[in-house]
């Protein structure tokens, strides 16, 4: 009898574990490089067509107001840790070099490690170098990446799980990354997985793609190839019968590319990559999980790239680490079509500059207030002497937010955003 009871108990535990895994969605995070709102047609881009990304948006929820950092490295650190730059030291692209204060895997939470604790297989594919260390140090079971910080296209080698691999003379790295991603999904189809697909497209240099025809627009070719690869990931997940078990998120690491701004409705966005203007950090954010995420919905809720860590942990049924301040806020309820607890504001930092942004208003590190009612096209400064009741109330609210955050007491930057260092002032940042 004892043996039978033990067998039944083990069977129950096994069935319970399988049921728990079945309730956890696979998570595929597709992160484009240097892509603002003006590069995606479902956000109103006049010039560029992205039919596969548009289809993804139609099958899920498109968020209109998402903020990354204005540069690759700080944005990816924000994604990985769920913590603001002044806490981690992930403040510029150079933060991990020359003794800078860049985040270290041993000191910070990691979205990959937290998902591994919830039973997920984890993989990173594509751009990585500006985060520091290796993807494995940050909790990824396997990875494919490269030794450069920028675009990595027609090259003869790449790095896989710490080993240099000869790719041959005519290798197109985005295809290598894509093939690795498909293989990872296929091998892990029976259990929950997390794939961080960090595209190099559409970062410069803007080179030909395998689909480029003579005389074509190279930048548009790159946009279309990026879109094609997004469609390829979705198609493979559908082919494996995993679509209703998989949350796919499409976003980007910073706003409009420096050399390729475009228009939305005939108007140019205010600012580009590396600037503290709206166009520098406002990015697309699309979430699709058929049967769970409302299809065709457009949400104006404010989203921060810091929110991905707590959102994914929430969906995985995991726990956030204790004793560390997580700045991200889970929007898992919104992904399920519920109201949730939307952000009141987003915080954005690059080096010694920062701002806090709520619906309609923005305040920067100099306590300058901006009317954002016509954003992302216009940011209108509002002098204190010209305050209306609305702007005065916003000034009070945002001043209080910045005072509580106190970024200047944390890890900031010594000057131009290229020479990281630790700057101490009165007060203490968590």
């Amino acid at each position: 009898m004892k043996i039978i009871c033990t067998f039944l108990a083990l069977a129950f535990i096994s069935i319970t574990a399988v049921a728990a895994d079945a309730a956890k969605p696979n998570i595929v995070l597709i992160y484009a490089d240097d892509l603002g709102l003006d590069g995606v047609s479902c956000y109103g881009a006049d010039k560029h067509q992205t039919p596969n990304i548009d289809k993804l948006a139609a099958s899920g929820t498109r968020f209109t107001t998402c903020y990354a950092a204005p540069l690759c490295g700080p944005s990816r650190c924000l994604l990985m840790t769920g913590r603001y730059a002044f806490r981690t030291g992930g403040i510029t692209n150079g933060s991990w070099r020359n003794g800078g204060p860049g985040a270290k895997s041993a000191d910070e939470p990691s979205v990959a490690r937290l998902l591994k604790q919830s039973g997920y297989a984890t993989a990173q594919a594509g751009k990585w170098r500006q985060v520091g260390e290796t993807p494995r140090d940050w909790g990824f079971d396997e990875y494919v990446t490269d030794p450069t910080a920028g675009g990595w296209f027609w090259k003869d080698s790449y790095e896989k799980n710490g080993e240099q691999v000869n790719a041959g003379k005519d290798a197109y790295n985005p295809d290598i990354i894509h093939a690795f991603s498909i293989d990872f999904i296929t091998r892990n189809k029976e259990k929950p997985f997390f794939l961080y697909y960090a595209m190099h497209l559409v970062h410069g240099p803007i080179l030909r793609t395998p689909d480029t025809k003579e005389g074509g627009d190279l930048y548009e070719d790159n946009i279309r190839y990026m879109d094609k690869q997004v469609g390829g990931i979705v198609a493979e997940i559908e082919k494996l019968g995993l679509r209703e078990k998989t949350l796919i998120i499409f976003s980007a690491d910073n706003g409009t590319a420096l050399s390729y701004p475009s228009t939305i409705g005939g108007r140019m966005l205010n600012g580009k990559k590396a600037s503290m203007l709206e166009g520098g950090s406002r990015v697309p954010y699309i979430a699709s999980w058929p049967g769970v995420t409302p299809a065709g919905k457009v949400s104006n809720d404010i989203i921060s790239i810091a929110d991905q860590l707590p959102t994914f942990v929430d969906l995985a049924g995991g726990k956030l680490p204790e004793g560390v301040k997580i700045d991200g806020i889970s929007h898992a309820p919104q992904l399920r079509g519920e109201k949730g607890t939307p952000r009141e504001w987003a915080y954005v930092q690059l080096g010694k500059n920062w701002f806090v942004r709520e619906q309609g208003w923005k305040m920067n590190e100099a306590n300058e207030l901006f009317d954002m009612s016509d954003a992302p096209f216009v940011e209108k400064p509002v002098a204190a002497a010209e305050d209306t009741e609305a702007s005065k109330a916003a000034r009070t609210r945002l001043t209080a937010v910045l005072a509580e955050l106190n970024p200047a007491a944390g890890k900031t930057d010594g000057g131009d955003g290229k020479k990281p260092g630790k700057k101490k002032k009165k007060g203490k940042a968590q």
Side-chain angles (χ1 to χ4, degrees):
M1 178 63 73
K2 186 176 180 180
I3 294 174
I4 294 173
C5 288
T6 302
F7 174 78
L8 290 174
L10 290 173
F12 176 77
I13 291 169
S14 177
I15 291 168
T16 302
V18 169
D21 276 354
K24 299 173 183 178
N26 304 314
I27 300 171
V28 175
L29 171 60
I30 304 175
Y31 215 43
D33 198 350
D34 282 12
L35 185 75
L37 304 183
D38 54 346
V40 183
S41 47
C42 63
Y43 280 87
D46 291 330
K47 182 176 180 181
H48 306 299
Q49 296 300 313
T50 52
N52 289 299
I53 296 171
D54 295 356
K55 185 178 178 182
L56 191 68
S59 71
T61 297
R62 178 170 66 85
F63 292 85
T64 64
T65 318
C66 177
Y67 291 90
L71 275 182
C72 310
S75 182
R76 293 162 197 274
C77 184
L78 188 65
L79 181 159
M80 201 55 48
T81 65
R83 284 162 49 80
Y84 294 145
F86 64 86
R87 303 191 203 280
T88 67
I91 53 180
T92 74
N93 274 353
S95 293
W96 290 271
R97 299 192 292 275
N98 304 320
K104 306 297 186 292
S105 63
D107 302 330
E108 292 292 339
S110 158
V111 63
R113 280 201 304 266
L114 291 169
L115 289 176
K116 274 174 66 68
Q117 291 170 14
S118 291
Y120 278 67
T122 59
Q124 186 273 344
K127 183 169 178 173
W128 176 266
R129 179 173 171 264
Q130 289 166 327
V131 179
E133 301 172 273
T134 71
R136 185 164 284 160
D137 293 319
W138 286 85
F140 290 98
D141 297 320
E142 51 189 292
Y143 65 92
V144 163
T145 186
D146 58 76
T148 70
W152 187 255
F153 301 108
W154 296 99
K155 302 291 183 179
D156 60 3
S157 67
Y158 61 95
E159 184 179 324
K160 182 176 182 180
N161 300 325
E163 301 291 332
Q164 205 70 15
V165 178
N166 189 333
K169 182 180 177 183
D170 295 318
Y172 186 59
N173 195 257
D175 284 349
I176 292 169
I177 291 165
H178 190 77
F180 169 86
S181 299
I182 296 296
D183 179 61
F184 171 77
I185 290 169
T186 303
R187 285 186 287 107
N188 291 281
K189 63 183 178 181
E190 301 299 334
K191 57 185 174 182
F193 59 79
F194 169 51
L195 171 64
Y196 169 36
Y197 186 163
M199 306 179 109
H200 285 293
L201 296 163
V202 285
H203 195 289
I206 303 303
L207 306 175
R208 66 180 178 87
T209 77
D211 291 349
T212 294
K213 294 180 174 55
E214 189 173 348
D217 179 332
L218 283 184
Y219 189 69
E220 182 63 20
D221 284 350
N222 278 249
I223 290 277
R224 287 186 177 275
Y225 208 84
M226 171 198 69
D227 181 73
K228 174 184 174 179
Q229 292 194 313
V230 172
I233 291 290
V234 176
E236 188 65 25
I237 290 171
E238 288 176 344
K239 177 182 172 183
L240 293 170
L242 300 175
R243 191 64 187 92
E244 293 187 351
K245 299 178 182 178
T246 305
L247 167 65
I248 301 175
I249 287 181
F250 176 82
S251 191
D253 64 346
N254 52 247
T256 302
L258 291 172
S259 301
Y260 298 94
S262 187
T263 57
I264 293 177
R267 304 178 73 190
M268 199 70 75
L269 271 65
N270 190 38
K272 296 180 282 188
K273 172 183 177 177
S275 80
M276 296 303 286
L277 300 171
E278 190 82 347
S281 55
R282 191 157 162 183
V283 295
Y285 194 83
I286 293 165
S288 173
W289 181 7
V292 178
T293 304
K297 182 175 180 179
V298 177
S299 173
N300 294 323
D301 286 355
I302 294 174
I303 300 290
S304 166
I305 292 300
D307 298 340
Q308 293 177 325
L309 182 147
T311 299
F312 296 167
V313 171
D314 190 353
L315 292 170
K319 292 183 179 179
L320 294 176
E322 296 180 358
V324 61
K325 172 65 175 177
I326 299 295
D327 294 299
I329 298 172
S330 173
H331 51 267
Q334 288 98 309
L335 299 184
R336 293 189 290 260
E338 302 162 9
K339 184 177 185 298
T341 308
R343 277 183 165 274
E344 294 181 4
W345 46 264
Y347 172 80
V348 174
Q349 180 175 357
L350 179 62
K352 66 175 183 175
N353 300 312
W354 51 79
F355 66 79
V356 64
R357 167 82 153 91
E358 65 176 20
Q359 297 286 6
W361 304 95
K362 164 182 168 179
M363 179 175 281
N364 66 16
E365 75 285 344
N367 294 320
E368 296 169 323
L369 183 71
F370 297 85
D371 177 351
M372 304 295 283
S373 57
D374 196 21
F377 308 107
V378 176
E379 303 180 36
K380 180 182 177 183
V382 181
E386 300 170 353
D387 266 341
T388 62
E389 278 192 31
S391 65
K392 186 176 181 180
R395 192 182 301 276
T396 300
R397 287 192 303 272
L398 298 183
T399 298
V401 169
L402 284 176
E404 184 174 351
L405 287 173
N406 195 14
K411 299 174 182 179
T412 59
D413 188 272
D416 61 3
K418 296 179 182 176
K419 298 175 182 177
K422 188 168 182 177
K423 182 180 178 183
K424 293 183 179 178
K425 289 192 176 181
K426 258 186 162 182
K428 184 178 179 183
Q430 288 184 301

